[in-house]
């Protein structure tokens, strides 16, 4: 029986239960249990939508260091969006991140387009500046714009 939250017997019983649990399963299984994460939730987007898309540099890295870097991303965006119904209405390129306001007739393309743009720019940046590591901070953000 437990006598309260501060009882030494409770701590001992808890430690004994954990020890029994750990010794009754394989070590590899325990590591798998400890390192299991919930998968990311899929993006819930309508079939067609106006999206505010944000891509940030990792650790506030200056992903655009000069005018040529800005031009390179603009050309990369044009190259990957011209063949599909991905209409960029406005864009803002800042030193550490960029914003897009885009209309998509089919929002299933947004992930592939942003992936292609960010990977292409990452390869350019890595070659030009000798950068190692992640250039982008996680996934891009996409916010559905529902009104003017």
């Amino acid at each position: 029986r437990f006598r309260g939250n501060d009882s030494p017997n409770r701590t001992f019983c808890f430690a004994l239960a954990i020890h029994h649990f750990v010794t009754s399963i394989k070590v590899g299984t325990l590591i798998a249990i400890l390192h299991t994460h919930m998968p990311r939730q899929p993006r819930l987007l309508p079939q067609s939508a106006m999206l505010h898309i944000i891509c940030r540099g990792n650790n506030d890295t200056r992903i655009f260091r000069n005018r040529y870097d800005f031009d390179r991303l603009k050309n990369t965006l044009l190259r990957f969006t011209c063949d599909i119904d991905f209409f960029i209405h406005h864009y803002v390129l800042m030193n550490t991140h960029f914003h897009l306001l885009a209309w998509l007739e089919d929002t299933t393309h947004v992930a592939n387009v942003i992936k292609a743009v960010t990977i292409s720019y990452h390869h350019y940046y890595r070659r030009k500046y000798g950068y190692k590591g992640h250039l982008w901070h996680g996934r891009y953000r996409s916010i559905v714009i529902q009104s003017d």
Side-chain angles (χ1 to χ4, degrees), residues 34-120:
L34 293 176
H35 291 291
T36 303
H37 300 291
M38 294 292 295
R40 286 187 255 193
Q41 296 296 319
R43 294 180 193 269
L44 300 175
L45 296 174
Q47 178 65 29
S48 60
M50 177 71 77
L51 297 177
H52 176 197
I53 300 168
I54 306 164
C55 293
R56 296 195 175 277
N58 197 26
N59 294 326
D60 290 327
T61 302
R62 287 180 58 99
I63 56 174
F64 304 111
R65 295 186 183 184
N66 57 42
R67 181 176 194 83
Y68 301 111
D69 295 342
F70 288 108
D71 291 339
R72 176 63 179 232
L73 187 76
K74 287 191 289 187
N75 292 334
T76 304
L77 279 167
L78 181 64
R79 187 174 76 210
F80 287 109
T81 59
C82 67
D83 294 336
I84 60 172
D85 293 331
F86 192 111
F87 304 104
I88 298 174
H89 288 271
H90 298 284
Y91 64 89
V92 177
L93 306 179
M94 303 177 84
N95 288 331
T96 59
H97 64 286
F98 67 88
H99 297 260
L100 302 174
L101 187 62
W103 172 260
L104 285 90
E105 288 294 332
D106 186 3
T107 56
T108 59
H109 296 301
V110 69
N112 291 333
V113 169
I114 298 301
K115 179 181 177 182
V117 168
T118 55
I119 287 175
S120 175

